[in-house]
C-alpha cells in the first residue's frame, strides 16, 4: 500500500464517520503526523493532496520543514503537536503555524511574549488530560463536571491564557489512552467536547476546534465532535 492509498482509505473512513453522525467531512481537517518519517514520505503525502502536517520534536521538524518549504512554492501548514520545552520555545513561531500542545501556563506565557516580539498572532490549542493518565501532558480535567476545584483551576488558566496578547485560542486538544476496545475512548472524547461547550458559554470565547483522534481512535473522536484529527501510522505506516 502506498501513502496515497493509505490517505484515500483514511479519507473514506473520515467521510463515513461524518456521515454516521450527519456532519460534513469539510468540517474535519486531516493532519498527517509525519514524526520520525523522512521528507520523502511527506512529499508523497503532499503529492496526494494533503496540506496539513504535524510534528512533535523541534529539532527534527526544523530540518524537515526547511527542506519541504524550500521545495514548494506553497508551504504546507505545520502543526506542533508535541510537548515544548520552555528554553526551545523561541524557535516555535514562525516555524509552526499552529501549536496544539499548550499544556501549561508557562509555555503559553512564553509563546505570547515571543509572538509579540515577532509581531505575529499564534493560533493555539489548550491541551487537556481528560483520562488522568500520568504519562500524558495537558491540564488535568478528568471528571471536571464532578470536580469543582479541578474545573475552577482549569477555568482560571483558560482565563489567563485568553488574556495573553498575540495568542489566538482555537480550541482544545486531547489524547485518549490506548484501549484494546476503542469504544472506551468515547466517554473521554465526549467529556472534552462538553468542556469546550461549557467554556464557550462561560467565557464567550469562540472555540471552533476540537483536536482529537489518532490512528487508533479517530473514527470515535469524529463521532464525538473532533474537527481536527492527527493521524500518523494509518498514513505513513508503523514507526
Ligand atoms: C504521534 C502522535 C499522533 C499520531 O499518532 P498515530 O497513532 O501515529 O496516528 C497524534 N497526536 C500526537 C500528539 C502524537 O504525538
Amino acid at each position: 500500500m502506498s501513502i496515497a492509498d493509505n490517505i484515500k482509505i483514511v479519507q473514506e473512513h473520515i467521510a463515513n464517520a461524518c456521515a454516521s453522525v450527519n456532519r460534513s467531512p469539510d468540517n474535519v481537517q486531516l493532519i498527517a503526523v509525519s514524526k520520525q518519517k523522512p521528507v520523502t514520505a511527506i512529499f508523497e503525502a503532499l503529492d496526494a493532496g494533503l496540506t496539513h502536517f504535524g510534528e512533535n520534536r523541534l529539532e527534527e521538524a526544523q530540518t524537515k520543514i526547511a527542506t519541504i518549504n524550500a521545495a514548494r512554492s506553497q508551504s504546507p501548514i505545520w502543526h506542533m503537536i508535541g510537548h515544548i520545552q520552555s528554553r526551545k520555545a523561541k524557535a516555535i513561531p514562525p516555524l509552526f503555524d499552529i501549536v496544539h500542545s499548550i499544556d501549561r501556563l508557562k509555555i503559553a506565557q512564553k509563546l505570547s511574549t515571543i509572538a509579540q516580539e515577532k509581531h505575529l498572532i499564534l493560533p493555539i490549542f489548550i491541551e487537556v488530560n481528560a483520562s488522568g493518565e500520568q504519562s500524558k501532558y495537558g491540564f488535568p480535567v478528568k471528571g471536571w463536571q464532578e470536580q469543582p476545584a479541578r474545573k475552577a483551576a482549569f477555568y482560571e488558566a483558560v482565563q489567563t491564557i485568553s488574556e495573553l496578547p498575540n495568542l489566538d485560542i482555537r480550541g482544545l486538544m486531547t489524547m485518549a489512552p490506548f484501549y484494546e476496545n476503542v469504544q472506551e475512548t468515547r466517554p473521554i472524547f465526549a467529556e472534552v467536547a462538553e468542556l469546550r461547550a461549557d467554556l464557550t458559554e462561560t467565557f464567550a470565547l469562540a472555540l471552533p476546534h476540537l483536536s482529537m483522534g489518532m490512528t487508533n481512535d479517530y473514527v470515535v473522536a469524529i463521532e464525538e465532535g473532533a474537527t481536527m484529527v492527527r493521524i500518523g501510522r494509518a498514513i505513513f505506516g508503523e514507526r
Side-chain angles (χ1 to χ4, degrees), residues 42 46 50-53 68-69 72 74-78 97:
I42 301 175
L46 279 166
L50 296 194
T51 51
H52 289 251
F53 292 87
I68 303 274
N69 287 358
R72 297 286 158 130
Q74 173 102 45
S75 298
I77 302 193
W78 294 101
D97 302 289

Side-chain angles (χ1 to χ4, degrees), residues 2-220:
S2 69
I3 286 172
D5 292 333
N6 291 340
I7 289 169
K8 242 186 226 139
I9 290 170
V10 168
Q11 284 171 332
E12 269 171 36
H13 288 168
I14 291 173
N16 292 341
C18 287
S20 76
V21 288
N22 288 312
R23 294 183 55 199
S24 163
D26 295 343
N27 296 332
V28 177
Q29 180 62 56
L30 170 58
I31 301 168
V33 176
S34 47
K35 65 187 188 194
Q36 296 173 46
K37 295 293 177 182
V39 288
T40 49
I42 301 175
F43 281 120
E44 277 186 65
L46 279 166
D47 290 339
L50 296 194
T51 51
H52 289 251
F53 292 87
E55 289 280 340
N56 70 336
R57 301 188 69 164
L58 179 64
E59 288 82 357
E60 177 188 343
Q62 278 171 320
T63 46
K64 288 159 76 175
I65 292 175
T67 305
I68 303 274
N69 287 358
R72 297 286 158 130
S73 53
Q74 173 102 45
S75 298
I77 302 193
W78 294 101
H79 299 253
M80 177 55 177
I81 62 171
H83 178 70
I84 301 168
Q85 290 170 268
S86 298
R87 64 191 168 83
K88 296 182 181 171
K90 262 212 145 36
I92 295 292
L95 182 69
F96 287 96
D97 302 289
I98 305 176
V99 176
H100 291 240
S101 40
I102 300 296
D103 53 13
R104 61 204 191 282
L105 200 48
K106 190 177 165 201
I107 203 67
Q109 287 161 334
K110 196 114 202 188
L111 287 172
S112 168
T113 304
I114 295 161
Q116 287 174 76
E117 286 166 9
K118 299 186 178 180
H119 305 289
L120 50 83
I121 306 287
L122 184 65
I124 59 160
F125 285 78
I126 298 178
E127 181 173 355
V128 296
N129 178 344
S131 66
E133 266 191 312
Q134 290 284 334
S135 60
K136 293 262 187 304
Y137 289 108
F139 290 88
V141 299
K142 181 179 196 272
W144 62 275
Q145 281 144 315
E146 293 84 38
Q147 306 261 0
R150 185 169 294 176
K151 178 177 171 181
F154 178 62
Y155 278 47
E156 199 181 313
V158 172
Q159 172 87 45
T160 305
I161 295 171
S162 72
E163 289 165 358
L164 291 172
N166 295 52
L167 298 183
D168 176 19
I169 308 179
R170 307 297 293 149
L172 302 179
M173 181 274 229
T174 202
M175 285 171 90
F178 173 79
Y179 294 115
E180 287 297 332
N181 175 6
V182 71
Q183 294 303 329
E184 290 182 48
T185 61
R186 191 178 297 281
I188 292 170
F189 293 138
E191 188 169 66
V192 175
E194 282 167 38
L195 181 58
R196 171 179 65 161
D198 194 75
L199 282 169
T200 305
E201 263 182 43
T202 307
F203 293 110
L205 268 179
L207 295 173
H209 286 291
L210 278 176
S211 169
M212 55 190 201
M214 323 197 325
T215 291
N216 288 317
D217 53 26
Y218 68 94
V219 167
V220 176

